[in-house]
Amino acid sequence: MSPGTRSVKDWEVRASTLARKTSNPIRRIVENLNVEPNPDKEFIALSIGDPTTFGNLNPPEQVIQAVREAVELHTSRGYGPSKGHLEAREAVAKYSAHQGEITPEDVILSSGCSHAIELVITAIADAGQNILVPRPGFMIYKTLAEGLGITIKYYNLLPHEQWKVDLVDLESQIDDDTAAIVVINPSNPCGSVYDKTHLTEILEVAARNYVPIIADEIYEHFVFSGQTFTAISSISKDVPVLTCGGLTKRFLVPGWRMGWVIIHDRNNVLGKELREGLARLSTRILGPSTLIQRALPSILEYTPQSFFDEVILFIENQAKMAYKELLQAPGLNPIMPQGAMYMMIGIKMTSFPGIANECQFLERLVAEQSVFSLPGECFEYPNYMRIVLTVPKEKLLEACQRIVIFCKTHAVTKERRKFVDITEVVSGDVEVMCEF
Ligand SMILES: *Cc1c(COP(=O)(O)O)cnc(C)c1O
């Protein structure tokens, strides 16, 4: 072909299947919502799962200082081993001793916890296999798996039982192609915390069916007063557990992208192949940031317990305040969390006859009250919304009060409810009230 006849159309550059099949459901759903706030009211976003957004929550000085010191080291600038520097892996092994016996060889550093999740999913499942994920649950699993042809199957959590796993449903979802069960504890979006008894029940299902567990413990230790965090790996007798964690949430540094996978395989059932596979996969990005790796031993060793305690106390108080406010909203059913940074709120759609679904509920809430939160659809769970508890106290209070006003404006009152019920019965069109 002579250069003169070349045309733009001759460039047949296509996006790969992986690129085309990868999507982030939260982005997609939020982009499709009409989020136009009321210009007369300050916009308050209860939707952003990044605790640094408002500047009210910051890592302690020790953590900042550790990075300051690391930046001066010439060894913080070069490549490290793709699994991470030994000193950093040793520090993670020590910090994670509550999970069980760990050597640095069991640790692979990653670029944030989501990269840890990508490593374990791609190491353990092939196209055509499936991974079981909680519903409601965190959507990164879908984003990571689907483009690779790995199916995400859901098992139900029980909202009336503090979001415990529906064990019967979990077991019924397992088939010959199930590569792993994901357990997110404490949970995003539910804020639930599982005790030893319940974790043991989950392990029994996994053991009976010979399915390994992927434990998403990015919120480890992030539990409110009266709750205890138990690492599922620490009580597993024979089920192999791949734990994904990192600095992101507990140390309030999501942008630093430091996470890790810890392999718990007491009876060596995963074998060398999976360990080596994980190590091989880690070479795809030549390892995570060495700057943060160099700071990691100090960060993990010297962050004072008082810092963690203060952050958790703040979020627990936020949860209590939001819960108390929202109880006054007709048609809403807030579920008090036990840990993490979020609260799920049930929306009795039958109380809002003028509103079609929870997405429309949230669109109208923004349009009238300038408050935005994520619809349950983002977590495969309609008729709920998730609010983030890390926003500054005054903003959260104001937002909750506006949600209450919104609900009082739009919910049918008891008197009208009776009338609506009667007319529904008369018209033979009885709608079953959602039980919350
Ligand atoms: C935030 C979050 C992650 C991702 O953490 P990064 O370190 O930012 O990649 C993973 N799992 C859950 C449940 C989360 O909430």
Side-chain angles (χ1 to χ4, degrees), residues 49 111-115 117 138 140-141 184 186-188 216 218-219 245-249 254 257-259 342:
S111 184
C113 181
S114 42
H115 178 224
I117 296 167
F138 189 59
I140 194 99
Y141 293 90
I184 308 176
S187 157
N188 175 8
D216 184 336
I218 189 70
Y219 298 99
L247 294 183
T248 299
K249 304 285 170 34
R257 312 310 300 137
M258 181 51 61
Y342 317 94

Side-chain angles (χ1 to χ4, degrees), residues 170-211:
L170 172 64
E171 192 147 17
S172 75
Q173 299 295 336
I174 299 174
D175 61 34
D176 292 343
D177 295 319
T178 302
I181 297 168
V182 174
V183 178
I184 308 176
N185 179 50
S187 157
N188 175 8
C190 305
S192 50
V193 177
Y194 296 153
D195 63 14
K196 268 189 190 155
T197 312
H198 190 52
L199 291 170
T200 305
E201 290 170 335
I202 297 168
L203 283 164
E204 280 165 3
V205 173
R208 241 191 330 267
N209 296 278
Y210 303 98
V211 183

Side-chain angles (χ1 to χ4, degrees), residues 220-225 250 305 307-318 339-340:
E220 61 181 351
H221 310 299
F222 220 113
V223 302
F224 300 161
S225 49
R250 193 165 187 234
Q305 184 59 39
F307 161 74
F308 300 126
D309 294 345
E310 278 165 27
V311 173
I312 290 170
L313 184 64
F314 169 73
I315 294 177
E316 181 173 356
N317 285 334
Q318 297 272 94

